[in-house]
């Protein structure tokens, strides 16, 4: 496999998929990550408008992220098979990102028997070779989600609105927020230092002739009897009202996105999506 893509874009994607930040544990808030490893696959063909996409996965038992980066070139096209579980590369994030910081412009990645070769496209004399990892520690989780083939919401030919599904069950509530709004609210929530955040979507159709909707989303965090923060954001909510509590800096994964789509269901994992990213987080259990 040999692919060509923007070095900074790849570095930023790897850093986001690490999930670094504050998380709530039974013994308090601690700095943690999802894992230091990413599982990479390539999708698309050279017959399409683009050369394809590098799909970057990271996961543990409670947190799954997928970040897609457009490729500038692909060689050895037979390597590409999005449904394959054998054609893949697993890398250490902490080992790869310092190298990418030394690469200017486009970077060429080539998987060889001797390891992964990382070259600066404009300067073939600058060549790094690193070992790939035998297997991502949560590969079974990643494969399971890949096979779910989670799709964005859509409307059927009969006009029926279809929510995304997780494990064969549809979400029941959905809305969209500007990332700048989500990021600001989460920054305020983090000042409470509980490490746990509650997301509530509220939809209510008034029984009058105008059928006015008074929908909103409330994001909050609290330490019982000590301090709290909440913000109500007016926005259109599709489906029913729902509430999910979670832990972790989910907003940082979507840095650089204009908007983020949220999909909820009571006592169910939380799904966040943008044009090039997807995040699944299990609800926080007190």
């Amino acid at each position: 496999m040999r692919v060509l893509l923007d070095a900074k874009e790849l570095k930023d994607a790897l850093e986001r998929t690490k999930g670094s930040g504050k998380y709530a544990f039974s013994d308090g808030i601690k700095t943690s990550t999802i894992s230091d490893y990413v599982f990479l696959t390539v999708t698309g063909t050279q017959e399409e408008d683009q050369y394809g996409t590098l799909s970057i996965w990271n996961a543990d038992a409670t947190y799954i992220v997928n970040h897609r980066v457009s490729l500038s070139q692909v060689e050895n096209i037979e390597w590409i098979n999005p449904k394959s579980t054998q054609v893949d590369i697993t890398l250490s994030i902490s080992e790869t990102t310092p190298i990418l910081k030394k690469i200017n412009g486009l970077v060429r990645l080539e998987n060889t028997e001797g390891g992964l070769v990382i070259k600066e496209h404009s300067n073939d004399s600058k060549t790094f070779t690193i070992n790939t990892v035998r297997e991502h520690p949560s590969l079974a989780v990643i494969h399971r989600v890949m096979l779910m083939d989670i799709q964005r919401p859509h409307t059927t030919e009969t006009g029926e609105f279809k929510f995304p599904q997780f494990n064969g069950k549809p979400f029941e509530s959905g809305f969209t927020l500007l990332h700048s709004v989500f990021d600001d609210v989460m920054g305020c929530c983090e000042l409470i230092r509980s490490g746990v955040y509650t997301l509530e979507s509220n939809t209510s159709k008034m029984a009058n002739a105008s059928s006015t909707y008074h929908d909103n989303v409330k994001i909050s965090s609290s330490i019982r009897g000590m301090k709290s923060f909440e913000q109500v954001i007016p926005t259109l909510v599709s489906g029913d009202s729902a509430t999910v509590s979670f832990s972790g800096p989910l907003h940082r994964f979507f840095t650089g996105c204009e908007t983020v789509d949220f999909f909820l269901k009571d006592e169910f994992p939380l799904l966040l999506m943008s044009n090039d990213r997807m995040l699944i987080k299990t609800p926080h259990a007190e």
Side-chain angles (χ1 to χ4, degrees):
M1 184 277 293
R2 187 181 299 124
V3 299
L4 189 69
L5 67 163
D6 185 86
K8 184 179 185 306
E9 191 174 354
L10 177 58
K11 176 190 71 67
D12 291 346
L14 293 179
E15 290 175 342
R16 292 186 193 113
T17 55
K18 192 169 185 177
S20 300
K22 301 287 187 180
Y23 293 82
F25 295 91
S26 58
D27 56 347
I29 304 174
K30 297 180 181 179
T31 299
S32 187
T33 64
I34 303 173
S35 86
D36 186 46
Y37 302 101
V38 286
F39 173 80
L40 311 181
T41 65
V42 174
T43 60
T45 67
Q46 287 178 299
E47 283 73 34
E48 296 176 349
D49 294 336
Q50 297 180 353
Y51 284 99
T53 301
L54 181 69
S55 192
I56 306 169
W57 294 85
N58 197 0
D60 61 16
T62 66
Y63 200 171
I64 305 151
V65 294
N66 175 233
H67 197 315
R68 298 175 299 281
V69 179
S70 296
L71 298 175
S72 300
Q73 183 177 328
V74 179
E75 299 178 22
N76 299 343
I77 200 67
E78 65 274 8
W79 185 84
I80 298 175
N81 182 354
K83 299 299 183 183
S84 172
T85 58
Q86 299 178 358
V87 181
D88 60 66
I89 296 175
T90 300
L91 300 176
S92 163
I93 298 171
S94 60
E95 186 175 47
T96 308
T97 52
I99 293 173
L100 293 172
K101 290 179 181 178
K102 298 295 184 180
I103 303 293
N104 297 312
L106 296 176
V107 61
R108 184 179 296 276
L109 307 180
E110 183 175 356
N111 195 25
T112 69
E113 291 184 359
L116 182 69
V117 177
I118 304 174
K119 289 186 178 183
E120 185 172 291
H121 182 57
S122 61
N123 182 5
D124 270 351
S125 65
K126 184 183 285 188
T127 302
F128 295 89
T129 302
I130 61 173
N131 289 330
T132 56
V133 179
R134 181 177 177 272
E135 184 175 288
H136 192 286
S138 296
L139 187 60
V141 175
I142 294 171
H143 282 164
R144 181 183 172 194
V145 174
M146 289 176 69
L147 292 172
M148 290 182 194
D149 194 23
I150 298 172
Q151 301 292 322
R152 298 177 76 88
H154 64 280
T155 302
T156 66
E157 294 180 357
T158 60
E160 182 183 3
F161 182 81
K162 290 285 189 179
F163 278 106
Q165 294 191 0
F166 178 78
N167 205 23
K169 297 180 180 179
F171 291 87
E172 296 179 351
S173 184
F175 57 89
T176 300
L177 294 180
L178 290 171
H179 176 263
S180 58
V181 172
F182 183 39
D183 186 67
D184 181 68
V185 175
M186 287 298 296
C188 293
C189 285
E190 288 177 331
L191 296 178
I192 303 302
R193 297 186 60 79
S194 74
V196 179
Y197 317 104
T198 299
L199 186 62
E200 301 176 46
S201 62
N202 301 294
T203 178
S204 58
K205 185 176 182 181
M206 305 301 292
N208 56 36
S210 64
S211 296
T212 303
Y213 283 87
H214 294 273
D215 297 355
N216 64 69
V217 170
K218 183 169 75 172
I219 305 176
S220 61
S221 184
S222 65
I223 298 177
R224 188 174 301 173
M226 294 181 62
K227 52 185 175 178
S228 66
F229 170 83
E230 68 175 46
Q231 183 167 338
V232 177
I233 307 161
T235 189
L236 179 65
V237 176
S238 299
D240 301 324
S241 300
T243 302
V244 175
S245 292
F246 64 92
S247 180
L250 309 192
H251 56 299
R252 293 178 189 165
F253 179 65
F254 292 93
T255 297
C257 297
E258 182 176 355
T259 61
V260 183
D261 297 332
F262 295 72
F263 302 99
L264 291 71
K265 181 178 179 180
D266 292 339
E267 300 179 358
F268 200 68
L270 175 65
L271 171 66
L272 276 61
M273 304 180 82
S274 69
N275 288 336
D276 61 356
R277 296 167 218 181
M278 178 181 73
L279 177 158
I280 301 168
K281 187 73 170 71
T282 60
H284 179 78
E286 294 291 346

